[in-house]
Amino acid sequence: MLGDIFTNRASSVLHRDLRNSPPLVRRGDGPYLIGADGKRYLDASGGAAVSCLGHSDPVVAEAIRAQVDDLAYAHTSFFTNEPSEALAARLIELAPEGFGEGRVAFLGSGSEAMEAALKLARQYFVEIGQPQRSKFISRRMSYHGNSLGALAVGGHEGRRALYAPLLIETHQIAPCHAYRFQEKTETAEAYGKRVAAELDEAITRLGADTVAAFVVEPIAGATLGSVPPAPGYLRHIREICDRHGVLLIADEVMCGMGRCGAMFVSEQEGIVPDIITIAKGLGAGYVPIAAVLARERIVNGLMEGSGQLSHGHTYMSHAISCAAGLAVIEKVSSAAMLARVNTLGRRLQESLLERFSGHPHVGDIRGRGLFWSLELVLDRATKAPFAAENRLAGRIKAQAQRHGLICYPSSGTADGRNGDHVLLAPPFIIEEFHITEIIDKLEAALKSSLKSLSLAA
């Protein structure tokens, strides 16, 4: 019946593109999505790096069904519930050292998690008697969500522009993006140290006692395309924050929860943030869920002050979402699954390098685990990007979908407006033959997209 409604009249959904409704998807089958016409699409980006367990995991589905039978919802101002307590305890157990007596808040999206993290940082300083700390620093060309606070600390100029008059003032430093900004005479370590020093300079310029937190994606996500940090960069950032009494907020919404081969990229990089946000891989697409992890000292600051969290949402700690999240985490956090991500990640890297490292319009291939991107350039020698007017990312997305491949192309990669990349974040359950399918279909999509611009592939 629902299919009849969809096909017999115009959509009533406020779609992203108001002039064109997307094709109707009917069901999922492992790493594939299946349209109403029966066409199969290999989901090589997990949507937006979300569907880490594919689209038909029986264990997660059963956890949801069982929780519906017991309890769907109870407001957190009246009750807690077993799934949220169990999931919080498990996340603290998995978190980097320093979170042992920390706590977790559950929300509905990565944007909500970032809003909560910003408010938590602000409240912490008020509670410990430093109310003058209200400024936030982040990085240009970053992305932290689409709500107003998250947009304000984000560095995606295209997403910010329309809402600029509504955004709180924040301060931004350069990203750590070696392909674009490392000097030819610099080592990777020297570059990381140099770009981290911008944070020190910014804090000093603003007044160290006025800065609340620095917000960073440990591995840059959709805006830059899975850019790993330079060696030692995040350790320098942690030292600078400690020296000035500034909190470090790690946005692991896209890169965390096993996506890069460990539950937390922060731990891979040898740092302990004060606050961590997670989302996408926490619910694996089966439910909307996100979380904010607060380190012990943040919790203690509130406990010794008001003893309250000055923030809340109607659907915090939703029992069904937390039950699903717990089932997801138990699968994703296993040693076997993380080893699988690293093994398949190396295979994906090798395949991308083999097929595209000599491509005239692929400038960089970068990533970690099952989180990889191709940066596309007009000229490899100069790294000149494609102009925004070429709409290359949109062309690739459309051509890939026509070939039965879902990938995540994005634009503005080079300077916030120009430049394009294609991000791959396939489900952890793929097999090696799926990697071959991804590479073949991506190559075909890239070839046809460049041909439409009268360029050779």
Side-chain angles (χ1 to χ4, degrees), residues 344-406:
L344 288 169
R346 286 190 293 271
R347 179 68 185 120
L348 178 58
Q349 177 187 16
E350 292 165 359
S351 298
L352 289 169
L353 289 169
E354 181 180 345
R355 191 71 62 92
F356 296 110
S357 62
H359 193 288
H361 297 295
V362 175
D364 193 30
I365 300 171
R366 54 180 178 255
R368 184 183 297 175
L370 283 173
F371 195 43
W372 285 88
S373 295
L374 305 181
E375 180 164 348
L376 305 167
V377 293
L378 186 61
D379 185 279
R380 278 169 60 98
T382 64
K383 302 181 183 179
F386 284 90
E389 292 74 19
N390 292 138
R391 297 178 53 254
L392 181 59
R395 292 171 189 265
I396 294 171
K397 178 183 178 183
Q399 288 297 324
Q401 194 157 345
R402 186 172 70 83
H403 286 286
L405 180 72
I406 304 299

Side-chain angles (χ1 to χ4, degrees), residues 166 444-445:
L166 308 179

Side-chain angles (χ1 to χ4, degrees), residues 31-33 39-44 397-407 437-438 441-442 445:
Y32 292 92
L33 291 166
K39 184 172 180 176
R40 295 171 69 85
Y41 302 87
L42 177 54
D43 189 359
K397 178 183 178 183
Q399 288 297 324
Q401 194 157 345
R402 186 172 70 83
H403 286 286
L405 180 72
I406 304 299
C407 58
E437 183 179 350
I438 291 169
K441 290 183 174 180
L442 180 58

Side-chain angles (χ1 to χ4, degrees), residues 1-4 6-7 23-28 33-38:
M1 177 168 178
L2 289 177
D4 293 339
F6 185 88
T7 55
L24 179 66
V25 64
R26 276 275 165 78
R27 63 188 184 90
L33 291 166
I34 303 173
D37 59 357

Side-chain angles (χ1 to χ4, degrees), residues 384-449:
F386 284 90
E389 292 74 19
N390 292 138
R391 297 178 53 254
L392 181 59
R395 292 171 189 265
I396 294 171
K397 178 183 178 183
Q399 288 297 324
Q401 194 157 345
R402 186 172 70 83
H403 286 286
L405 180 72
I406 304 299
C407 58
Y408 197 104
S410 188
S411 56
T413 311
D415 58 16
R417 171 175 166 74
N418 303 297
D420 307 86
H421 70 265
V422 179
L423 186 146
L424 301 172
F428 304 169
I429 62 167
I430 59 168
E431 304 289 346
E432 286 206 18
F433 69 85
H434 291 120
I435 293 176
T436 301
E437 183 179 350
I438 291 169
I439 299 297
D440 288 345
K441 290 183 174 180
L442 180 58
E443 183 179 44
L446 182 55
K447 183 176 182 178
S448 52
S449 300

Side-chain angles (χ1 to χ4, degrees), residues 67 71-77 79-88 104-108 112 288-291 309 312-323:
Q67 187 58 45
L71 171 72
Y73 171 77
H75 197 279
T76 52
S77 66
F79 297 100
T80 187
N81 61 72
E82 291 179 352
S84 67
E85 295 290 343
L87 181 56
V104 184
F106 294 109
L107 306 110
E112 286 185 25
I289 186 171
L309 174 64
H313 286 284
T314 299
Y315 288 106
M316 288 179 75
S317 295
H318 192 275
I320 295 172
S321 294
C322 289

